[in-house]
Amino acid sequence: MFDFQLFRIKVFPSKQKHLFEEPRKLQEILKETILSLPSAEIRKNIVWHIGNIDQIDTSAIYFRVGRIGKARLELFRDTNFIDKEFEVAPYTHTLLDIQLELIAIAKKSKLAIKTSGIANNLAKLLNKSELSSRYDAHFEIFEINDPDDFITHIHKSLAVSKYWVSFTRPNAFDVNKDFLQPAEKLLEESEGDKGQILLQGDSLKADTLEELTRSAAATGNDASALLLMPEESVKVRKRLRGNPIVIMQEEITDEEDKKSLLIKIRHRYRKVREGEDN
């Protein structure tokens, strides 16, 4: 049984903006970079690689990511205890939807205690790749959190007096452009990396906050709110972050397994973006 955690993988152009005419081209660079099978030394004597590429459909790619290093085995040979060094290459399974900029990574404790640690090293690998340098592009990978519990608290509260939502520079595929696009554009023009919006009032509209929350969750950003709950005598702060989405997959050995996982991933992501009824 595999535990796949969902992440958003984003491609950002150089802040000098001298290369990219079409937003869609960023997704093409993501695909080209993965297909180039990059490898890079992330730490001393630890080299990370991408391999085992398999095109699932026009938008989805399966691959493995892992690292090569040395391990020491203690042996007993001919009345002597000896240490023998050999090469090890732990890896994990990864499924990428290029158009959605959505990536699922299987948990592997031999690579990192948390799956987010594998994601961080994958981002470092992509940023050290030849194509990243050639296209002057930067890759970032963000956890996708399940927004349902946070949204339930918003709707059950007596009032929401403050609401915060974070955002990044414009990306090739983003959600809720009507609300966040002006803020993203301002961030880009100011050559910033991250920003935050604060809404404040006696009782903010829950439906609008749900839409913003789903946008934040789907793009790998964060949100929080100051709520007055029926069972509480004082206002409490709730946060979107802390509920990573994990999808279980029995096997990942053949094409049917990979297609089955891809269906689950896309369905789960639509639920994050649009809710249960969409």
Side-chain angles (χ1 to χ4, degrees):
M1 181 68 72
F2 296 93
D3 296 350
F4 281 85
Q5 185 174 340
L6 285 188
F7 298 86
R8 269 295 300 276
I9 181 167
K10 300 183 182 182
V11 191
F12 294 102
S14 165
K15 291 178 183 178
Q16 280 70 45
K17 297 181 292 187
H18 58 276
L19 285 175
F20 303 100
E21 299 295 333
E22 300 284 339
R24 183 179 174 83
K25 189 174 182 180
L26 298 175
Q27 294 167 319
E28 294 171 0
I29 289 172
L30 172 60
K31 181 178 181 179
E32 288 178 28
T33 303
I34 297 294
L35 293 180
S36 72
L37 300 175
S39 64
E41 187 176 55
I42 305 301
R43 290 190 294 115
K44 186 177 180 180
N45 299 324
I46 301 295
V47 180
W48 281 72
H49 294 269
I50 284 177
N52 301 77
I53 296 284
D54 185 11
Q55 188 89 35
I56 306 304
D57 63 21
T58 56
S59 177
I61 296 174
Y62 163 88
F63 62 92
R64 296 179 183 180
V65 60
R67 56 176 167 80
I68 294 176
K70 299 290 184 180
R72 181 171 294 176
L73 186 63
E74 297 174 333
L75 301 171
F76 184 72
R77 294 277 175 84
D78 300 325
T79 73
N80 292 310
F81 290 97
I82 62 172
D83 294 328
K84 185 173 180 61
E85 200 173 67
F86 60 97
E87 188 176 82
V88 292
Y91 69 88
T92 194
H93 305 275
T94 306
L95 198 58
L96 169 68
D97 187 311
I98 297 164
Q99 294 303 315
L100 294 179
E101 296 178 338
L102 182 66
I103 189 166
I105 302 173
K107 182 178 181 179
K108 188 66 169 283
S109 58
K110 289 183 179 180
L111 290 173
I113 296 174
K114 294 183 178 180
T115 310
S116 57
I118 302 174
N120 291 338
N121 281 304
L122 174 58
K124 291 176 183 177
L125 169 58
L126 296 176
N127 285 318
K128 285 177 173 285
S129 68
E130 181 183 340
L131 289 184
S132 173
S133 177
R134 182 191 304 173
Y135 292 126
D136 203 8
H138 180 72
F139 299 87
E140 293 188 33
I141 301 178
F142 303 87
E143 281 188 342
I144 295 179
N145 286 278
D146 188 339
D148 289 346
D149 184 66
F150 181 70
I151 289 170
T152 296
H153 277 90
I154 287 175
H155 282 286
K156 286 186 175 180
S157 69
L158 298 177
V160 183
S161 56
K162 287 185 179 180
Y163 178 89
W164 298 261
V165 62
S166 64
F167 58 92
T168 57
R169 288 183 288 145
N171 190 235
F173 176 82
D174 274 324
V175 182
N176 205 337
K177 287 290 186 181
D178 290 341
F179 285 119
L180 296 182
Q181 191 174 42
E184 291 174 347
K185 185 65 176 176
L186 176 61
L187 187 66
E188 182 180 40
E189 292 298 324
S190 64
E191 296 190 357
D193 294 313
K194 296 180 181 179
Q196 187 180 81
I197 294 173
L198 167 63
L199 305 178
Q200 190 168 351
D202 293 333
S203 183
L204 299 172
K205 187 177 178 182
D207 288 345
T208 300
L209 300 185
E210 176 177 347
E211 191 173 349
L212 276 169
T213 298
R214 293 197 179 281
S215 175
T219 53
N221 288 302
D222 196 16
S224 61
L226 193 62
L227 313 168
L228 179 60
M229 302 301 295
E231 67 275 13
E232 302 285 348
S233 57
V234 296
K235 293 178 181 179
V236 296
R237 184 166 177 171
K238 297 292 183 181
R239 191 173 182 179
L240 168 62
R241 186 166 294 168
N243 295 293
I245 292 178
V246 176
I247 294 173
M248 310 296 289
Q249 177 72 15
E250 187 71 34
E251 297 287 346
I252 192 76
T253 55
D254 56 30
E255 288 294 305
E256 290 305 311
D257 293 335
K258 295 167 187 175
K259 289 178 181 179
S260 171
L261 176 60
L262 182 61
I263 291 170
K264 292 179 188 177
I265 289 169
R266 287 170 172 168
H267 177 267
R268 190 67 185 84
Y269 188 60
R270 282 196 299 271
K271 183 175 181 291
V272 170
R273 290 177 58 191
E274 303 167 6
E276 194 71 62
D277 299 329
N278 295 280

